[in-house]
Amino acid sequence: MKSQYRVVVIGGGVVGSSVLYHLAKMGWTDCVMLERSVLTAGSSWHAAGGIHALNADPNMAALQAYTIDLLSEIEAESGQNIGLHMTGGLTMAGTPERWEWLQSAYRIFQSIGIEDCELVTPEEAQKRCPIMSTDGLLGGMWADREGYVDTTGTVHAYAIAAKKRGAEYYEHTKVESLTQTATGWRVVTDKGTIDCEHVVNAAGLWAKQVGRMAGIELPVSPLKHHYLISDTIPQLEELDFEVPMTVDLEGFTYLRQDQKGVLLGIYEIEHEHWAMDGAPWDYGMELFQEQTDRIENELILGFERYPALQEVGVKTWVNGAFTFSPDGNPLVGPVPGKRGYWCACAVMAGFLQGGGVGKSLAEWMIEGETEADTYCMDIARYGKFAENKRYIRETTGQFYSRRFVMTYPNEQLPAGRPLKRSPAWADMDAAGAHWGVSWDMETPLYFAPEGFVEAPTLKRSNAHDIVAAECKAVREAVGLLDISAFSRFEVSGPNAEAWLDKMMASKLPKPGRAKLAPMLAPSGRLKGDLTVFNWGDGTWWIMGSYYLRAWHMRWFNDHLKDGVQVRDLGEEICGFSLSGSNARKVIEAVAETPVDLPFMGCCVADIGMIRARVARMSVAGELGFEINCRYGDHITLRRMLLEAGAAHGIREIGFNALLSLRLEKSFGIWSAEFTQGYTAAMTGMDRWIDWSKDFTGKASALAERDGNGPAQTLVMLEISDGDADASGYEPVWQNGDKVGFVTSGGYGHTVNKSLAMALVNTDLAEVGTDLSVHVVGVERAAKIIPSSPYDPTGEAMRG
């Protein structure tokens, strides 16, 4: 072991080994992996080793598909047998709602490129898994690319392949401390000290402690997980094939063959955390005593689904710990504020996602960005709030217990909530607000009468008419919306303007004006759909999506220059927006200084006794004002605006109404129309680019503009009406050929149409083109219509 390396990877499980392999494969061979015990010690050795291509998140599905393709490659490259069994897989539904969801999911999988799956009847499923009872089952989904691997063999294959490419790994080498240095990190081990440029925390069950060594509190916790391996089942001995990976969603179990018996795994409702501060250092190859009382209900369901288990014994019980994040996705990427410290932990499905995690992290470290949109596993999707122990306990436990529980798109889950509330929360709650959450912030979805309960559904909600009334109030009078859940960054310093001009692809606004501003990565892909404000006093604001606060702040800090300060105002500034034809009447009734702003104008104004920063703009596409105030002024501002607006038909609205209103204007939003996987040209954001100046990503954007252009283009769709609306990733078809997918959709309450925005093949992106879309599994006619079905000339917004 040398005293200096470029990269030290801490942890010798499947994820650490994959990171090491991909770094070496991409040319960084001066890397070492340190394992305190032996390779696989931790979660890897006792994992069930299941692999499957299906994932509701298309980016995770792509990474899983990459991992599956990679497995046979590392086996050949390393010469290490990984015990790959590609048996295919079944996912079974036993309620009408679940079967409907599965049919919808099947179409979404088609949309994101998973073509080797099909819907099957219970009878067809039983032919593929003869030991399964079909009692109560309504149908299932078959996927070709499912199976399992030998976990120990797979970890060794990654490590051996990495070593063959020039990297190193050492077992029985415990990391004892980490110290940040001017050039990177000093890693103290029980075998000596190493200086390096980068440290990767792939420590699995010990990720918490390895984070704390660097002053980082990671939102992770181990939970116990059971599976059993049965004795030989005579029925399996008679088969000339292996039964597939089978998931019984209503029974909370998964099953695969193990020799001539089966492995039955359980995601029990009564979850149990373990070692929330990190596993003991001397833990590694141990298991816990099985807790059959705690998993009794799920065991009964499993034995009923597979009656053959009732006739044989249990050969082995496994009750081991796995590490989970609050949403179950990995924590990957550079830790904000800790240059050179990278995470690759909380990879619950390590043998399924480990290859993709290793690839993405190596790209990130070497090239500065990933090929895929990795926000779904980016550590910056969480902020400091997620370091809280109770928050971690509630959210990780909720994810574990709901692993096989159906979650509806309009369902609000309770764990870790309510946490942060805008100051006027109590008043809005008393006024009937129903709440969602953005990052840590409670956000109003709509305002309903006392006693109203929204029913979870895949289709139109029973809140549909409530949202319609809020939209009507905006279009015909004025709506008041709490906009505390917008991000705000203050940019100042002598070089602030020059820095912003480089960071943003658009022209910068003149003093007293605001401007929409795409922000690009060097690859030309989007890093933000932002609004820049020039307050005219040397300070600027950047406003964007609240849940991207840490993600954007990391990007700003990584590109900061001398003479520039960027400050996150998310704990200081909040506010309300007024939208509608009567918005001007309301704000003029309370303004003590002039607010006769032009469209996209901004100023500091006295609103009553509140010194506020006001901008004339509206995501709803109406005459509108955004009023930004200090946290302490929020309650007073709301009451003042409601009193002044009473004579003008004011109504409080929530974000569900705003989403409908913005859709009628063809206004895209981040994580739907705009992601770091798309370019400005694909999404229409290139209309804001100032090609005459230099900006980050210009060369790539120019190459796309002057080349063949994007393969897909964002369009507006009108979908034939039904009882459901598109929401995202539904496939778009023309004559049976898949030609695109929905980015977001909903109901346009003003135009009375089911609408969607979609990325479709550019050669078809013409108004009037007839298409079709699967909505909740049902194919419906669709047509490309002109942008902005409501007020296409923008008169209302500029009036």
Side-chain angles (χ1 to χ4, degrees):
M1 187 172 73
K2 300 184 301 185
S3 62
Q4 190 158 349
Y5 292 89
R6 190 172 205 169
V7 181
V8 172
V9 179
I10 303 173
V14 64
V15 176
S17 299
S18 173
V19 170
L20 187 72
Y21 168 75
H22 283 91
L23 286 169
K25 185 177 183 179
M26 294 180 67
W28 279 20
T29 56
D30 187 22
C31 304
V32 65
M33 179 172 68
L34 306 179
E35 166 53 49
R36 68 186 174 84
S37 178
V38 296
L39 297 187
T40 78
S43 298
S44 290
W45 75 272
H46 64 73
I51 55 172
H52 54 94
L54 305 181
N55 192 299
D57 186 305
N59 298 300
M60 290 305 298
L63 293 173
Q64 291 173 186
Y66 169 81
T67 302
I68 293 170
D69 290 338
L70 180 66
L71 289 171
S72 57
E73 292 182 28
I74 62 161
E75 183 175 55
E77 188 173 337
S78 65
Q80 168 71 49
N81 188 313
I82 66 169
L84 176 61
H85 294 248
M86 197 65 80
T87 62
L90 288 166
T91 302
M92 303 305 299
T95 65
E97 295 80 11
R98 178 80 76 174
W99 178 226
E100 186 176 60
W101 172 81
L102 209 54
Q103 293 173 80
S104 178
Y106 164 64
R107 295 300 179 181
I108 290 175
F109 291 142
Q110 285 186 315
S111 181
I112 62 181
I114 301 175
E115 303 288 353
D116 51 359
C117 58
E118 60 178 315
L119 296 173
V120 296
T121 66
E123 294 72 26
E124 290 170 332
Q126 191 178 49
K127 289 178 182 177
R128 303 183 192 202
C129 185
I131 64 171
M132 178 180 66
S133 166
T134 59
D135 288 351
L137 294 180
L138 299 178
M141 183 161 56
W142 169 266
D144 290 341
R145 286 158 56 83
E146 297 203 5
Y148 64 95
V149 295
D150 168 50
T151 57
T152 299
T154 301
V155 173
H156 281 270
Y158 277 120
I160 292 168
K163 191 170 184 178
K164 285 186 173 183
R165 288 181 177 270
E168 301 174 23
Y169 67 88
Y170 295 94
E171 298 177 300
H172 304 293
T173 305
K174 178 173 176 268
V175 173
E176 296 182 332
S177 69
L178 297 172
T179 304
Q180 194 164 14
T181 66
T183 57
W185 293 87
R186 178 157 294 159
V187 183
V188 177
T189 80
D190 59 358
K191 299 291 195 316
T193 299
I194 299 171
D195 287 314
C196 61
E197 184 179 347
H198 302 278
V199 166
V200 177
N201 181 350
L205 293 173
W206 296 269
K208 180 76 80 173
Q209 296 101 304
V210 174
R212 287 175 174 169
M213 287 179 184
I216 299 161
E217 195 69 29
L218 295 173
V220 296
S221 177
L223 285 95
K224 295 180 179 179
H225 178 66
H226 282 87
Y227 66 79
L228 63 86
I229 298 175
S230 76
D231 287 331
T232 295
I233 296 174
Q235 193 174 354
L236 292 183
E237 288 186 300
E238 298 171 2
L239 298 178
D240 60 358
F241 62 91
E242 281 193 280
V243 296
M245 289 282 297
T246 305
V247 175
D248 177 18
L249 295 168
E250 266 64 57
F252 312 100
T253 61
Y254 60 90
L255 173 140
R256 70 162 172 85
Q257 191 159 332
D258 187 277
Q259 299 181 47
K260 291 300 179 179
V262 296
L263 181 154
L264 182 75
I266 296 166
Y267 279 98
E268 60 271 23
I269 298 297
E270 296 297 325
H271 61 264
E272 184 173 309
H273 287 84
W274 174 75
M276 285 195 67
D277 290 319
W281 288 112
D282 59 357
Y283 177 84
M285 305 297 281
E286 299 85 1
L287 293 171
F288 310 112
Q289 182 70 34
E290 65 269 21
Q291 300 166 285
T292 52
D293 289 346
R294 182 163 63 85
I295 63 174
E296 179 181 6
N297 292 334
E298 292 83 2
L299 271 180
I300 291 171
L301 292 172
F303 277 58
E304 289 175 347
R305 181 61 62 207
Y306 308 102
L309 286 172
Q310 301 173 26
E311 309 299 325
V312 299
V314 174
K315 180 167 59 178
T316 305
W317 280 101
V318 172
N319 183 14
F322 292 87
T323 304
F324 293 79
S325 72
D327 64 4
N329 277 351
L331 296 175
V332 179
V335 175
K338 297 288 181 177
R339 186 174 295 277
Y341 189 104
W342 303 78
C343 274
C345 50
V347 189
M348 172 199 60
F351 292 90
L352 172 60
Q353 298 171 348
V357 167
K359 173 181 181 288
S360 297
L361 190 65
E363 290 169 345
W364 216 331
M365 296 174 73
I366 296 171
E367 299 173 0
E369 60 179 311
T370 59
E371 180 184 14
D373 178 3
T374 52
Y375 182 78
C376 60
M377 60 182 186
D378 193 328
I379 188 171
R381 72 186 186 275
Y382 292 107
K384 301 289 285 185
F385 66 91
E387 297 177 358
N388 178 273
K389 192 169 186 177
R390 179 173 173 181
Y391 178 90
I392 296 168
R393 183 171 63 248
E394 286 190 14
T395 53
T396 56
Q398 176 178 266
F399 171 81
Y400 184 95
S401 291
R402 295 185 65 88
R403 183 81 170 89
F404 288 164
V405 175
M406 184 170 169
T407 299
Y408 294 88
N410 69 324
E411 189 173 7
Q412 297 298 318
L413 301 181
R417 298 179 58 200
L419 184 54
K420 185 178 181 183
R421 314 182 213 198
S422 61
W425 181 92
D427 286 353
M428 289 186 284
D429 192 60
H434 283 235
W435 299 95
V437 64
S438 176
W439 219 39
D440 60 343
M441 171 74 82
E442 294 293 308
T443 58
L445 300 178
Y446 54 83
F447 289 76
E450 186 176 355
F452 176 80
V453 176
E454 185 174 9
T457 181
L458 293 173
K459 299 180 179 179
R460 286 188 191 143
S461 161
N462 58 327
H464 184 79
D465 291 343
I466 294 171
V467 174
E470 292 183 2
C471 291
K472 181 180 174 67
V474 172
R475 295 289 188 229
E476 297 181 359
V478 60
L480 181 70
L481 175 69
D482 178 14
I483 57 169
S484 300
F486 288 174
S487 70
R488 300 164 177 87
F489 302 92
E490 181 188 77
V491 184
S492 60
N495 296 327
E497 183 171 358
W499 180 80
L500 277 168
D501 201 41
K502 175 73 172 178
M503 293 290 287
M504 304 299 164
S506 66
K507 277 187 170 69
L508 292 185
K510 302 294 185 184
R513 303 302 293 265
K515 201 170 201 48
L516 297 178
M519 184 168 65
L520 308 183
S523 64
R525 293 183 296 170
L526 294 169
K527 291 299 288 188
D529 64 320
L530 303 165
T531 306
V532 176
F533 299 76
N534 183 347
W535 296 108
D537 59 359
T539 62
W540 306 71
W541 275 15
I542 303 170
M543 186 177 284
S545 300
Y546 185 83
Y547 61 91
L548 298 177
R549 278 176 58 189
W551 189 73
H552 273 143
M553 194 65 187
R554 182 181 64 194
W555 183 259
F556 297 149
N557 282 333
D558 285 348
H559 296 82
L560 213 55
K561 302 294 184 183
D562 290 340
V564 183
Q565 294 84 44
V566 180
R567 192 161 63 93
D568 183 347
L569 302 176
E571 307 305 316
E572 304 173 33
I573 302 296
C574 54
F576 284 95
S577 72
L578 292 167
S579 297
S581 56
N582 290 341
R584 182 180 284 113
K585 296 175 183 176
V586 176
I587 197 169
E588 286 180 345
V590 295
E592 296 293 329
T593 54
V595 287
D596 188 21
L597 295 169
F599 179 60
M600 298 299 286
C602 62
C603 70
V604 176
D606 291 336
I607 306 300
M609 290 190 294
I610 298 168
R611 175 54 62 99
R613 291 183 182 263
V614 180
R616 196 186 139 193
M617 58 182 61
S618 169
V619 180
E622 296 289 339
L623 170 65
F625 297 87
E626 292 182 356
I627 308 169
N628 302 279
C629 65
R630 300 177 304 169
Y631 259 62
D633 297 329
H634 195 240
I635 296 171
T636 299
L637 178 61
R638 173 184 174 273
R639 293 178 180 176
M640 184 195 318
L641 293 172
L642 285 175
E643 289 173 6
H648 304 291
I650 198 168
R651 176 170 181 154
E652 287 193 274
I653 68 169
F655 278 88
N656 284 6
L658 188 65
L659 289 174
S660 172
L661 296 165
R662 69 93 192 170
L663 192 61
E664 293 182 322
K665 290 295 296 174
S666 301
F667 291 162
I669 55 174
W670 194 263
S671 79
E673 285 69 47
F674 312 130
T675 79
Q676 61 181 333
Y678 306 154
T679 66
M682 290 173 66
T683 57
M685 289 293 282
D686 56 341
R687 79 187 74 171
W688 306 109
I689 289 180
D690 178 9
W691 298 103
S692 67
K693 72 170 194 175
D694 184 33
F695 58 87
T696 300
K698 181 176 182 178
S700 298
L702 275 173
E704 182 178 45
R705 186 194 73 176
D706 298 339
N708 296 324
Q712 292 188 314
T713 303
L714 193 65
V715 299
M716 193 79 209
L717 297 179
E718 177 184 337
I719 302 175
S720 63
D721 205 9
D723 60 355
D725 301 297
S727 57
Y729 293 113
E730 293 90 347
V732 178
W733 307 91
Q734 186 183 61
N735 301 324
D737 294 325
K738 188 180 68 178
V739 297
F741 62 95
V742 169
T743 54
S744 68
Y747 192 78
H749 290 282
T750 311
V751 298
N752 293 317
K753 293 177 180 178
S754 185
L755 301 172
M757 298 177 77
L759 282 167
V760 303
N761 295 348
T762 300
D763 60 345
L764 296 174
E766 297 291 337
V767 171
T769 302
D770 289 319
L771 304 165
S772 65
V773 177
H774 273 92
V775 179
V776 193
V778 176
E779 189 169 9
R780 286 166 42 189
K783 183 186 290 289
I784 298 179
I785 61 174
S787 181
S788 189
Y790 170 76
D791 187 29
T793 62
E795 292 180 15
M797 197 163 50
R798 293 174 172 82

